Each structure stands twice: as structure tokens, then as C-alpha cells.
Amino acid sequence: MKKRVFAALMAAVTAAGLLAGCGGGSDGGTGGAETGEEGKIINIYSWNDEFRTRLEAVYPEVESTSDDGTVTTLKDGTEIHWVINPNQDGVYQQKLDEALMNQADAAADDKIDIFLSETDYVYKYTDADADVAMPLTDLGIDPDTDLADQYDFTKTTASDQDGVQRGSTWQCCPGVLVYRRDIAKDVFGTDDPTAVGEKVKDWDTLKATAEELKSKGYYTFSSYADTFRVYGNNISEPWVTTGETTVKVDQKIMDWIESSKEWLDAGYLDKTVKGQFNDDWNKAMGSSSKVFAFLLPPWGIDFTLSPNWDGDTGAWAVTNPPQEYNWGGSYIHAATGTDNPEHVKDIILAMTAEKDTLLKISQDYLDFTNTVSGMEEAAADDAYASDFLGGQNAYEYYAPVAENIQIAPLSAYDQGCVELIQNAFSDYFQGNVDFDRAKSNFETAIKERYPDITEVQWPE
């Protein structure tokens, strides 16, 4: 039954045409965690080497890693085999889904033991009916005690519809406003984060500040997509309620559409930048750009802004966003049917619950990690200052955002809804279609992505 449930979930969540047929395995396995002797191979599925590099750096049981990074050997001789497939075009989820469908029949050495998911699609894998990610309590992990120091919103994100936690994470992704110091000095006469924070403290204040920036020839943000995560992370109801087939567009999404059109028409955004993670967006982060700020989490500064900046170090600083939000996060799950439950338990606890370990990750990789007490320490410690930010300790701004995040209600359809609503209304913002046509295009696109969706409801 569980296999049929997950098969239906795959059909609903994975983009049409991506999935290939699944062949059966050979060795009759069990559907739940085995007890007794552990296997000698731990298979970990992910889309990049982010988790691997951190595990190798801080997990005390690591002995060595192969030159090509595909095998990590632990001190007891157990091998971690890293199964990496790219996120692009849904490949990672396709390969993971195929393997999970075959999990019960897979040979012991081929079983998935750990897999990772992102916030945009975590609910697909924590769904209680699918039951592909084990409840942490089944591993012997008590979230109320073992993970008591974690940020509550990360625990909620990794839980199923019944509130049972089925994953854990080493990182949080609180979003801040990252701004150009030189532009702040030119327009406001100061680049002090506290003073700039007052200029951007809420949307009404930021709108007045946007007019100031425009008068000096600057854009507030590069693109309408830059503000989406702030609105989208604060919706009050899920895109699709569990057990239903109706997409409900939250009023916060409509607020984003309205404000984006208003800001674009007013000249507060650069009309030539369409979306994110493209060449125009990357160039907007360069020294010749007239863009004042970006709304980014820690990984966005480290992996996106910093590589695209071609000016002097220390040109950027962070301050509070106009509204608290979270963007991203990688969740670690124990796969139902793992033959290495004790190893998996130890890895999850070591990588997501040990404050000193997580502080080392923060120091070495600039992640905002998942212990409240640890991040309070980091916020008050100059050792966590950033050279890229001119010696500013960004944790001072990350921490209060993280403490106030109320994670938006999740659904298995989040990734498609988030992507397709932006795509549909990008054409509207650019003047290629009218408002009603953009709505119609979203309705068509979401039903094509998820054939089980029967209706889209818009706020009145």
C-alpha cells in the first residue's frame, strides 16, 4: 500500500515526462529498519557535495575519503557511498524516487540509508502516507530532548502532517537584506547597518526609501523575483491541503504580484533583469550595477553574491529585512528500510544536534547552523566576522530573524507552485500578457505539472 501511495505521489509531484519505469530488485528486503548487525555500505543520496564536505570535516568517525569523493570510509570499516545527481531538470528527484520505489526489494548493499531534500519539496518525502522517510523516534532519536536546541521552524519543516518529525538539518537559512555600502553612503550619507536597517524596516518604509534611491539613479532590488521568497514564506495556508486537489493561491502571493507590478512600473526594479539565477541577475551583483540590495540567506551571500562581485572586499553589508523569512535548507532523512539504522542515527545526531560540531561548520563554511544557543554565541563573537562583508558579523542579523521565522504551511506541490506562479506572472510584469491571461497561464501550467490538480482558487 505504501509503495502505491508513493507511486501516486511521484506522479503528482514530478514534472510530466521525467520519470522512467522502475525495475524490480532481487533480494527480498524489509520495509522497516532492521535491528542487529549493521550493513557495511551506507548509501547517501544528494544533489551536490555540500553535505559530504561537512560530514568529512566534522564527523569524528571519518577515516578517509577516496580521491574522487565517491566513497568515505569510517573508522569501523563501513563505507559511505555518495550517490550524487544534479537538481537540474528534476534529475535528482527522479533518481531518488526510482530508488525509493525499489527500496523494499533492493539488495542490502543497494538500499538507500540516508537521502537529502530541500525545503521546496521536503513535504513530498515527509508525507506520512508515503512513509519513505522514517520517523526519527523509530531511530531512537527524541526530537523533544535530543533536538531541543534546534530552531522550531526547522523541526516543523521536517515533520509530516501529523507533526511527526521525519528529518533533521544542520543549517538554517534566515534571510537578510544585503546592501552596497557605497550606494548607501551616496544616498543616505551612511552605510551603518543600524541606520540602513531603519530605512528598510518594513515594506511601507522601504517603498519610501526606494523613491530616494531612484532619485539618485539606483534600483532598490534587481528583479521582482528578489522579493518573492519574503512573501511566499509568509503565506497562511498551504498551496494544496493534504487530501485535496485544489491549489489555493494565498493573499500574500497576490500582494507580491501587486507590489511587484507597482515597483517595476515605478522604476524601483531593473526591467532588464527577469527572474533570478541567470546572466542578467548575476551581472546585477557586479560593481557596475546600480542595484542597491538583495534579499538573501547565508548561502546566497556565500555561493551567489560573493562569486559575482568583481569589486573590492568589504563593499557589502547586511541588515534586517523588511519582514522575516527563510529561503532554503537541506534536510537529512533516514530512508525507510535502511539496514544501517545505528549508523544513520549517529550521523544525524552528530551532524544536526551537536552544538560544537555545528559551530565548526559555521566557522569553516559560513552556514548559519541549527542550534539556538550556538548561533547566539556566534552573534556575539567577532571570530565569526566576514571578510567579504568588511569585517561585519552577519550572525548578529541572522539570529534574530531565525528566532522569529514562522514557517509557511507546506505541501507536496510547493516546488511547482513556487516556480510556475513566478513564470506565469513574469510575462505580466513585462507587459507581454494581461493579468487575467497570467492567471489562466498559471492554471494551465500547474495542471500540466500535476495532472491530479483539478482547480485553482484565487483570493476574492
Side-chain angles (χ1 to χ4, degrees), residues 322-381:
Q323 186 175 7
E324 286 87 1
Y325 70 103
N326 178 80
W327 183 4
S330 300
Y331 286 84
I332 308 167
H333 307 280
T336 299
T338 175
D339 62 327
N340 288 283
E342 290 302 319
H343 280 93
V344 171
K345 173 186 177 181
D346 193 60
I347 289 171
I348 290 177
L349 286 176
M351 298 301 296
T352 71
E354 300 289 340
K355 181 174 73 171
D356 290 343
T357 298
L358 295 183
L359 281 171
K360 179 172 173 53
I361 292 175
S362 291
Q363 284 188 319
D364 293 350
Y365 296 98
L366 305 180
D367 289 353
F368 184 89
T369 50
N370 196 18
T371 61
V372 177
S373 62
M375 292 300 90
E376 289 174 348
E377 290 180 17
D381 187 345

Side-chain angles (χ1 to χ4, degrees), residues 90-342:
V91 173
Y92 171 66
Q93 289 186 64
Q94 174 194 351
K95 297 296 186 181
L96 174 60
D97 292 350
E98 290 172 353
L100 288 170
M101 283 290 292
N102 288 330
Q103 178 81 337
D105 298 322
D109 288 349
D110 295 331
K111 289 182 181 292
I112 306 174
D113 298 291
I114 289 174
F115 65 92
L116 277 77
S117 72
E118 292 188 287
T119 301
D120 278 350
Y121 55 83
V122 62
Y123 195 82
K124 171 184 174 181
Y125 296 103
T126 59
D127 183 272
D129 293 329
D131 197 27
V132 294
M134 290 175 60
L136 295 186
T137 52
D138 288 359
L139 289 171
I141 297 174
D142 183 347
D144 292 334
T145 56
D146 296 325
L147 307 180
D149 200 20
Q150 288 190 343
Y151 287 91
D152 284 341
F153 79 89
T154 69
K155 299 171 73 173
T156 300
T157 301
S159 298
D160 64 23
Q161 59 266 43
D162 300 318
V164 175
Q165 193 166 343
R166 293 175 179 259
S168 188
T169 183
W170 73 92
Q171 66 180 171
C172 299
C173 300
V176 293
L177 186 139
V178 196
Y179 64 92
R180 285 263 299 269
R181 292 179 183 271
D182 59 332
I183 295 177
K185 287 180 179 178
D186 183 32
V187 179
F188 313 134
T190 178
D191 66 345
D192 176 71
T194 301
V196 175
E198 283 297 307
K199 289 282 190 179
V200 302
K201 64 183 179 180
D202 55 49
W203 288 116
D204 289 340
T205 302
L206 185 53
K207 183 178 177 181
T209 299
E211 189 63 35
E212 282 188 75
L213 289 161
K214 178 186 174 183
S215 70
K216 285 291 193 82
Y218 299 110
Y219 301 111
T220 303
F221 301 119
S222 67
S223 164
Y224 39 82
D226 287 355
T227 61
F228 180 83
R229 294 288 175 168
V230 185
Y231 287 92
N233 192 235
N234 285 282
I235 61 176
S236 59
E237 62 179 345
W239 285 94
V240 181
T241 300
T242 300
E244 297 185 2
T245 60
T246 298
V247 170
K248 297 178 181 177
V249 181
D250 193 271
Q251 182 58 48
K252 284 290 185 183
I253 303 300
M254 304 308 294
D255 292 345
W256 169 73
I257 294 169
E258 181 180 355
S259 66
S260 294
K261 187 69 166 67
E262 179 185 358
W263 280 47
L264 194 64
D265 291 346
Y268 303 153
L269 310 173
D270 187 346
K271 289 187 176 182
T272 68
V273 182
K274 303 173 184 179
Q276 295 174 315
F277 303 103
N278 54 39
D279 187 56
D280 288 338
W281 193 63
N282 293 339
K283 288 178 179 177
M285 298 178 179
S287 58
S288 62
S289 170
K290 294 294 185 180
V291 173
F292 168 62
F294 290 85
L295 292 160
L296 296 171
W299 62 259
I301 298 172
D302 191 37
F303 293 108
T304 306
L305 180 60
S306 179
N308 284 312
W309 176 246
D310 58 353
D312 295 334
T313 297
W316 294 84
V318 306
T319 191
N320 50 267
Q323 186 175 7
E324 286 87 1
Y325 70 103
N326 178 80
W327 183 4
S330 300
Y331 286 84
I332 308 167
H333 307 280
T336 299
T338 175
D339 62 327
N340 288 283
E342 290 302 319

